[in-house]
PDB file of all heavy atoms in Angstrom:
ATOM      1  N   ALA O   1      -1.087   5.059   8.127  1.00 91.00           N
ATOM      2  CA  ALA O   1      -0.512   3.906   8.773  1.00 91.00           C
ATOM      3  C   ALA O   1       1.065   4.147   8.974  1.00 91.00           C
ATOM      4  O   ALA O   1       1.497   3.630  10.044  1.00 91.00           O
ATOM      5  CB  ALA O   1      -0.580   2.662   7.907  1.00 91.00           C
ATOM      6  N   LEU O   2       1.764   4.856   8.170  1.00 90.00           N
ATOM      7  CA  LEU O   2       3.190   5.018   8.322  1.00 90.00           C
ATOM      8  C   LEU O   2       3.537   6.158   9.165  1.00 90.00           C
ATOM      9  O   LEU O   2       4.739   6.310   9.603  1.00 90.00           O
ATOM     10  CB  LEU O   2       3.744   5.050   6.985  1.00 90.00           C
ATOM     11  CG  LEU O   2       3.724   3.934   6.044  1.00 90.00           C
ATOM     12  CD1 LEU O   2       4.393   4.113   4.675  1.00 90.00           C
ATOM     13  CD2 LEU O   2       4.348   2.679   6.704  1.00 90.00           C
ATOM     14  N   VAL O   3       2.658   7.146   9.465  1.00 92.00           N
ATOM     15  CA  VAL O   3       2.948   8.295  10.108  1.00 92.00           C
ATOM     16  C   VAL O   3       3.482   8.069  11.535  1.00 92.00           C
ATOM     17  O   VAL O   3       4.126   8.828  12.091  1.00 92.00           O
ATOM     18  CB  VAL O   3       1.846   9.375  10.052  1.00 92.00           C
ATOM     19  CG1 VAL O   3       0.717   9.002  11.206  1.00 92.00           C
ATOM     20  CG2 VAL O   3       2.339  10.813  10.353  1.00 92.00           C
ATOM     21  N   ILE O   4       3.039   6.943  12.125  1.00 92.00           N
ATOM     22  CA  ILE O   4       3.472   6.569  13.539  1.00 92.00           C
ATOM     23  C   ILE O   4       4.892   5.902  13.414  1.00 92.00           C
ATOM     24  O   ILE O   4       5.416   5.716  14.577  1.00 92.00           O
ATOM     25  CB  ILE O   4       2.492   5.526  14.129  1.00 92.00           C
ATOM     26  CG1 ILE O   4       2.492   4.252  13.437  1.00 92.00           C
ATOM     27  CG2 ILE O   4       1.083   6.268  14.258  1.00 92.00           C
ATOM     28  CD1 ILE O   4       1.736   3.183  14.205  1.00 92.00           C
ATOM     29  N   LYS O   5       5.420   5.852  12.330  1.00 89.00           N
ATOM     30  CA  LYS O   5       6.755   5.165  12.164  1.00 89.00           C
ATOM     31  C   LYS O   5       6.752   3.736  12.719  1.00 89.00           C
ATOM     32  O   LYS O   5       7.638   3.452  13.590  1.00 89.00           O
ATOM     33  CB  LYS O   5       7.841   6.098  12.778  1.00 89.00           C
ATOM     34  CG  LYS O   5       8.021   7.398  11.941  1.00 89.00           C
ATOM     35  CD  LYS O   5       9.124   8.284  12.501  1.00 89.00           C
ATOM     36  CE  LYS O   5       9.124   9.527  11.632  1.00 89.00           C
ATOM     37  NZ  LYS O   5      10.284  10.446  12.205  1.00 89.00           N
ATOM     38  N   PRO O   6       5.933   2.902  12.229  1.00 90.00           N
ATOM     39  CA  PRO O   6       5.852   1.428  12.813  1.00 90.00           C
ATOM     40  C   PRO O   6       7.033   0.706  12.373  1.00 90.00           C
ATOM     41  O   PRO O   6       7.659   0.959  11.434  1.00 90.00           O
ATOM     42  CB  PRO O   6       4.547   1.006  12.177  1.00 90.00           C
ATOM     43  CG  PRO O   6       4.519   1.684  10.872  1.00 90.00           C
ATOM     44  CD  PRO O   6       5.032   3.085  11.135  1.00 90.00           C
ATOM     45  N   ARG O   7       7.265  -0.326  13.183  1.00 88.00           N
ATOM     46  CA  ARG O   7       8.340  -1.320  12.884  1.00 88.00           C
ATOM     47  C   ARG O   7       7.749  -2.300  11.871  1.00 88.00           C
ATOM     48  O   ARG O   7       8.328  -2.961  11.091  1.00 88.00           O
ATOM     49  CB  ARG O   7       8.827  -2.024  14.044  1.00 88.00           C
ATOM     50  CG  ARG O   7       9.430  -1.108  15.075  1.00 88.00           C
ATOM     51  CD  ARG O   7      10.063  -1.930  16.100  1.00 88.00           C
ATOM     52  NE  ARG O   7      10.475  -1.108  17.328  1.00 88.00           N
ATOM     53  CZ  ARG O   7      11.553  -1.416  18.069  1.00 88.00           C
ATOM     54  NH1 ARG O   7      12.294  -2.354  17.826  1.00 88.00           N
ATOM     55  NH2 ARG O   7      11.815  -0.634  19.050  1.00 88.00           N
ATOM     56  N   LEU O   8       6.471  -2.615  12.070  1.00 91.00           N
ATOM     57  CA  LEU O   8       5.732  -3.611  11.177  1.00 91.00           C
ATOM     58  C   LEU O   8       4.529  -2.937  10.578  1.00 91.00           C
ATOM     59  O   LEU O   8       3.755  -2.182  11.127  1.00 91.00           O
ATOM     60  CB  LEU O   8       5.238  -4.746  12.057  1.00 91.00           C
ATOM     61  CG  LEU O   8       4.375  -5.832  11.465  1.00 91.00           C
ATOM     62  CD1 LEU O   8       5.182  -6.592  10.517  1.00 91.00           C
ATOM     63  CD2 LEU O   8       3.824  -6.754  12.608  1.00 91.00           C
ATOM     64  N   LEU O   9       4.301  -3.259   9.191  1.00 91.00           N
ATOM     65  CA  LEU O   9       3.133  -2.811   8.485  1.00 91.00           C
ATOM     66  C   LEU O   9       2.342  -4.064   8.186  1.00 91.00           C
ATOM     67  O   LEU O   9       2.862  -4.887   7.472  1.00 91.00           O
ATOM     68  CB  LEU O   9       3.491  -2.046   7.318  1.00 91.00           C
ATOM     69  CG  LEU O   9       2.335  -1.561   6.471  1.00 91.00           C
ATOM     70  CD1 LEU O   9       1.513  -0.488   7.147  1.00 91.00           C
ATOM     71  CD2 LEU O   9       2.848  -0.982   5.102  1.00 91.00           C
ATOM     72  N   LEU O  10       1.103  -4.140   8.511  1.00 92.00           N
ATOM     73  CA  LEU O  10       0.133  -5.160   8.121  1.00 92.00           C
ATOM     74  C   LEU O  10      -0.828  -4.571   7.225  1.00 92.00           C
ATOM     75  O   LEU O  10      -1.502  -3.548   7.406  1.00 92.00           O
ATOM     76  CB  LEU O  10      -0.601  -5.717   9.370  1.00 92.00           C
ATOM     77  CG  LEU O  10       0.211  -6.287  10.595  1.00 92.00           C
ATOM     78  CD1 LEU O  10      -0.624  -6.709  11.731  1.00 92.00           C
ATOM     79  CD2 LEU O  10       1.106  -7.395  10.121  1.00 92.00           C
ATOM     80  N   ALA O  11      -0.994  -5.285   5.999  1.00 89.00           N
ATOM     81  CA  ALA O  11      -1.855  -4.705   4.977  1.00 89.00           C
ATOM     82  C   ALA O  11      -2.785  -5.897   4.539  1.00 89.00           C
ATOM     83  O   ALA O  11      -2.346  -6.928   4.197  1.00 89.00           O
ATOM     84  CB  ALA O  11      -1.081  -4.138   3.839  1.00 89.00           C
ATOM     85  N   ASP O  12      -4.055  -5.605   4.552  1.00 88.00           N
ATOM     86  CA  ASP O  12      -5.098  -6.540   4.166  1.00 88.00           C
ATOM     87  C   ASP O  12      -5.735  -6.139   2.832  1.00 88.00           C
ATOM     88  O   ASP O  12      -6.543  -5.214   2.695  1.00 88.00           O
ATOM     89  CB  ASP O  12      -6.148  -6.640   5.285  1.00 88.00           C
ATOM     90  CG  ASP O  12      -7.148  -7.732   5.149  1.00 88.00           C
ATOM     91  OD1 ASP O  12      -7.015  -8.529   4.144  1.00 88.00           O
ATOM     92  OD2 ASP O  12      -8.026  -7.867   5.938  1.00 88.00           O
ATOM     93  N   GLU O  13      -5.376  -6.764   1.767  1.00 83.00           N
ATOM     94  CA  GLU O  13      -5.832  -6.579   0.482  1.00 83.00           C
ATOM     95  C   GLU O  13      -5.753  -5.070   0.112  1.00 83.00           C
ATOM     96  O   GLU O  13      -6.772  -4.465  -0.248  1.00 83.00           O
ATOM     97  CB  GLU O  13      -7.320  -6.999   0.245  1.00 83.00           C
ATOM     98  CG  GLU O  13      -7.473  -8.597   0.457  1.00 83.00           C
ATOM     99  CD  GLU O  13      -6.862  -9.324  -0.653  1.00 83.00           C
ATOM    100  OE1 GLU O  13      -6.395  -8.689  -1.716  1.00 83.00           O
ATOM    101  OE2 GLU O  13      -7.002 -10.519  -0.633  1.00 83.00           O
ATOM    102  N   PRO O  14      -4.546  -4.419   0.219  1.00 79.00           N
ATOM    103  CA  PRO O  14      -4.478  -3.052  -0.026  1.00 79.00           C
ATOM    104  C   PRO O  14      -4.858  -2.529  -1.420  1.00 79.00           C
ATOM    105  O   PRO O  14      -5.059  -1.332  -1.621  1.00 79.00           O
ATOM    106  CB  PRO O  14      -3.066  -2.683   0.423  1.00 79.00           C
ATOM    107  CG  PRO O  14      -2.297  -4.018   0.125  1.00 79.00           C
ATOM    108  CD  PRO O  14      -3.207  -5.016   0.506  1.00 79.00           C
ATOM    109  N   THR O  15      -4.753  -3.461  -2.334  1.00 75.00           N
ATOM    110  CA  THR O  15      -5.047  -2.939  -3.768  1.00 75.00           C
ATOM    111  C   THR O  15      -6.337  -3.599  -4.215  1.00 75.00           C
ATOM    112  O   THR O  15      -6.727  -3.587  -5.405  1.00 75.00           O
ATOM    113  CB  THR O  15      -3.944  -3.448  -4.693  1.00 75.00           C
ATOM    114  OG1 THR O  15      -3.765  -4.863  -4.645  1.00 75.00           O
ATOM    115  CG2 THR O  15      -2.528  -2.843  -4.237  1.00 75.00           C
ATOM    116  N   GLY O  16      -7.184  -4.101  -3.300  1.00 71.00           N
ATOM    117  CA  GLY O  16      -8.360  -4.921  -3.699  1.00 71.00           C
ATOM    118  C   GLY O  16      -9.376  -4.140  -4.427  1.00 71.00           C
ATOM    119  O   GLY O  16     -10.098  -4.621  -5.268  1.00 71.00           O
ATOM    120  N   ASN O  17      -9.385  -2.797  -4.217  1.00 71.00           N
ATOM    121  CA  ASN O  17     -10.346  -1.926  -4.871  1.00 71.00           C
ATOM    122  C   ASN O  17      -9.765  -1.043  -5.920  1.00 71.00           C
ATOM    123  O   ASN O  17     -10.404  -0.054  -6.282  1.00 71.00           O
ATOM    124  CB  ASN O  17     -11.102  -1.005  -3.836  1.00 71.00           C
ATOM    125  CG  ASN O  17     -12.090  -1.896  -3.011  1.00 71.00           C
ATOM    126  OD1 ASN O  17     -12.764  -2.775  -3.506  1.00 71.00           O
ATOM    127  ND2 ASN O  17     -12.079  -1.672  -1.705  1.00 71.00           N
ATOM    128  N   LEU O  18      -8.466  -1.284  -6.307  1.00 71.00           N
ATOM    129  CA  LEU O  18      -7.832  -0.410  -7.310  1.00 71.00           C
ATOM    130  C   LEU O  18      -7.656  -1.146  -8.634  1.00 71.00           C
ATOM    131  O   LEU O  18      -7.592  -2.345  -8.741  1.00 71.00           O
ATOM    132  CB  LEU O  18      -6.400  -0.142  -6.731  1.00 71.00           C
ATOM    133  CG  LEU O  18      -6.328   0.547  -5.296  1.00 71.00           C
ATOM    134  CD1 LEU O  18      -4.912   0.766  -5.002  1.00 71.00           C
ATOM    135  CD2 LEU O  18      -7.082   1.893  -5.346  1.00 71.00           C
ATOM    136  N   ASP O  19      -7.653  -0.269  -9.692  1.00 75.00           N
ATOM    137  CA  ASP O  19      -7.373  -0.771 -11.032  1.00 75.00           C
ATOM    138  C   ASP O  19      -5.853  -1.147 -11.130  1.00 75.00           C
ATOM    139  O   ASP O  19      -5.108  -0.893 -10.213  1.00 75.00           O
ATOM    140  CB  ASP O  19      -7.882   0.228 -12.030  1.00 75.00           C
ATOM    141  CG  ASP O  19      -7.105   1.509 -11.900  1.00 75.00           C
ATOM    142  OD1 ASP O  19      -6.020   1.642 -11.476  1.00 75.00           O
ATOM    143  OD2 ASP O  19      -7.722   2.512 -12.406  1.00 75.00           O
ATOM    144  N   SER O  20      -5.588  -1.773 -12.308  1.00 77.00           N
ATOM    145  CA  SER O  20      -4.174  -2.202 -12.449  1.00 77.00           C
ATOM    146  C   SER O  20      -3.181  -1.135 -12.408  1.00 77.00           C
ATOM    147  O   SER O  20      -2.063  -1.356 -11.885  1.00 77.00           O
ATOM    148  CB  SER O  20      -4.123  -3.067 -13.820  1.00 77.00           C
ATOM    149  OG  SER O  20      -4.466  -2.210 -14.922  1.00 77.00           O
ATOM    150  N   GLN O  21      -3.455   0.050 -12.991  1.00 74.00           N
ATOM    151  CA  GLN O  21      -2.553   1.140 -12.926  1.00 74.00           C
ATOM    152  C   GLN O  21      -2.274   1.656 -11.505  1.00 74.00           C
ATOM    153  O   GLN O  21      -1.100   1.831 -11.047  1.00 74.00           O
ATOM    154  CB  GLN O  21      -3.036   2.324 -13.767  1.00 74.00           C
ATOM    155  CG  GLN O  21      -2.089   3.440 -13.922  1.00 74.00           C
ATOM    156  CD  GLN O  21      -2.578   4.546 -14.858  1.00 74.00           C
ATOM    157  OE1 GLN O  21      -3.818   4.817 -15.040  1.00 74.00           O
ATOM    158  NE2 GLN O  21      -1.688   5.103 -15.617  1.00 74.00           N
ATOM    159  N   ASN O  22      -3.395   1.738 -10.818  1.00 74.00           N
ATOM    160  CA  ASN O  22      -3.064   2.302  -9.452  1.00 74.00           C
ATOM    161  C   ASN O  22      -2.430   1.230  -8.493  1.00 74.00           C
ATOM    162  O   ASN O  22      -1.803   1.495  -7.611  1.00 74.00           O
ATOM    163  CB  ASN O  22      -4.509   2.679  -8.805  1.00 74.00           C
ATOM    164  CG  ASN O  22      -4.842   4.204  -9.160  1.00 74.00           C
ATOM    165  OD1 ASN O  22      -4.037   4.990  -8.969  1.00 74.00           O
ATOM    166  ND2 ASN O  22      -6.024   4.276  -9.683  1.00 74.00           N
ATOM    167  N   THR O  23      -2.816  -0.079  -8.821  1.00 77.00           N
ATOM    168  CA  THR O  23      -2.142  -1.191  -8.142  1.00 77.00           C
ATOM    169  C   THR O  23      -0.578  -1.129  -8.300  1.00 77.00           C
ATOM    170  O   THR O  23       0.121  -1.300  -7.334  1.00 77.00           O
ATOM    171  CB  THR O  23      -2.635  -2.561  -8.610  1.00 77.00           C
ATOM    172  OG1 THR O  23      -4.069  -2.690  -8.207  1.00 77.00           O
ATOM    173  CG2 THR O  23      -1.819  -3.676  -8.038  1.00 77.00           C
ATOM    174  N   GLU O  24      -0.235  -0.875  -9.603  1.00 78.00           N
ATOM    175  CA  GLU O  24       1.212  -0.857  -9.823  1.00 78.00           C
ATOM    176  C   GLU O  24       1.880   0.400  -9.130  1.00 78.00           C
ATOM    177  O   GLU O  24       2.934   0.302  -8.634  1.00 78.00           O
ATOM    178  CB  GLU O  24       1.459  -0.699 -11.341  1.00 78.00           C
ATOM    179  CG  GLU O  24       2.878  -0.720 -11.746  1.00 78.00           C
ATOM    180  CD  GLU O  24       3.059  -0.719 -13.342  1.00 78.00           C
ATOM    181  OE1 GLU O  24       2.164  -0.858 -14.021  1.00 78.00           O
ATOM    182  OE2 GLU O  24       4.252  -0.515 -13.763  1.00 78.00           O
ATOM    183  N   ARG O  25       1.196   1.539  -9.105  1.00 77.00           N
ATOM    184  CA  ARG O  25       1.695   2.740  -8.472  1.00 77.00           C
ATOM    185  C   ARG O  25       1.806   2.456  -6.981  1.00 77.00           C
ATOM    186  O   ARG O  25       2.810   2.879  -6.331  1.00 77.00           O
ATOM    187  CB  ARG O  25       0.715   3.912  -8.705  1.00 77.00           C
ATOM    188  CG  ARG O  25       0.819   4.469 -10.129  1.00 77.00           C
ATOM    189  CD  ARG O  25      -0.230   5.499 -10.235  1.00 77.00           C
ATOM    190  NE  ARG O  25      -0.141   6.064 -11.558  1.00 77.00           N
ATOM    191  CZ  ARG O  25      -1.056   6.990 -12.047  1.00 77.00           C
ATOM    192  NH1 ARG O  25      -2.145   7.347 -11.328  1.00 77.00           N
ATOM    193  NH2 ARG O  25      -0.880   7.479 -13.273  1.00 77.00           N
ATOM    194  N   LEU O  26       0.832   1.904  -6.315  1.00 75.00           N
ATOM    195  CA  LEU O  26       0.857   1.596  -4.952  1.00 75.00           C
ATOM    196  C   LEU O  26       2.030   0.635  -4.588  1.00 75.00           C
ATOM    197  O   LEU O  26       2.659   0.682  -3.597  1.00 75.00           O
ATOM    198  CB  LEU O  26      -0.447   1.093  -4.440  1.00 75.00           C
ATOM    199  CG  LEU O  26      -0.610   1.040  -2.867  1.00 75.00           C
ATOM    200  CD1 LEU O  26      -0.520   2.314  -2.211  1.00 75.00           C
ATOM    201  CD2 LEU O  26      -1.857   0.336  -2.498  1.00 75.00           C
ATOM    202  N   LEU O  27       2.190  -0.461  -5.432  1.00 79.00           N
ATOM    203  CA  LEU O  27       3.249  -1.342  -5.183  1.00 79.00           C
ATOM    204  C   LEU O  27       4.641  -0.665  -5.268  1.00 79.00           C
ATOM    205  O   LEU O  27       5.498  -0.973  -4.494  1.00 79.00           O
ATOM    206  CB  LEU O  27       3.245  -2.502  -6.357  1.00 79.00           C
ATOM    207  CG  LEU O  27       4.271  -3.539  -6.278  1.00 79.00           C
ATOM    208  CD1 LEU O  27       4.196  -4.257  -4.984  1.00 79.00           C
ATOM    209  CD2 LEU O  27       4.107  -4.462  -7.487  1.00 79.00           C
ATOM    210  N   GLU O  28       4.806   0.233  -6.237  1.00 79.00           N
ATOM    211  CA  GLU O  28       6.076   0.937  -6.300  1.00 79.00           C
ATOM    212  C   GLU O  28       6.242   1.886  -5.097  1.00 79.00           C
ATOM    213  O   GLU O  28       7.379   1.934  -4.615  1.00 79.00           O
ATOM    214  CB  GLU O  28       6.131   1.806  -7.565  1.00 79.00           C
ATOM    215  CG  GLU O  28       6.129   0.939  -8.944  1.00 79.00           C
ATOM    216  CD  GLU O  28       5.971   1.792 -10.120  1.00 79.00           C
ATOM    217  OE1 GLU O  28       5.703   3.035  -9.976  1.00 79.00           O
ATOM    218  OE2 GLU O  28       6.159   1.238 -11.229  1.00 79.00           O
ATOM    219  N   LEU O  29       5.209   2.450  -4.585  1.00 79.00           N
ATOM    220  CA  LEU O  29       5.280   3.311  -3.415  1.00 79.00           C
ATOM    221  C   LEU O  29       5.633   2.500  -2.212  1.00 79.00           C
ATOM    222  O   LEU O  29       6.541   2.921  -1.497  1.00 79.00           O
ATOM    223  CB  LEU O  29       3.963   4.035  -3.369  1.00 79.00           C
ATOM    224  CG  LEU O  29       3.825   4.964  -2.025  1.00 79.00           C
ATOM    225  CD1 LEU O  29       4.861   6.048  -2.166  1.00 79.00           C
ATOM    226  CD2 LEU O  29       2.501   5.648  -2.001  1.00 79.00           C
TER     227      LEU O  29
END
């Protein structure tokens, strides 16, 4: 999603299938 260098990022439940640890990592990222 980011490789096109967008001005706007739309994310639909990006952590919906992740456990709590991976959710935290993705949030930090």
Side-chain angles (χ1 to χ4, degrees):
L2 294 179
V3 75
I4 66 169
K5 297 183 178 178
R7 301 188 191 211
L8 174 67
L9 180 67
L10 302 176
D12 190 2
E13 298 288 358
T15 62
N17 289 316
L18 302 181
D19 59 25
S20 58
Q21 186 176 31
N22 277 309
T23 292
E24 184 175 350
R25 288 175 178 171
L26 189 66
L27 177 61
E28 292 172 353
L29 178 60

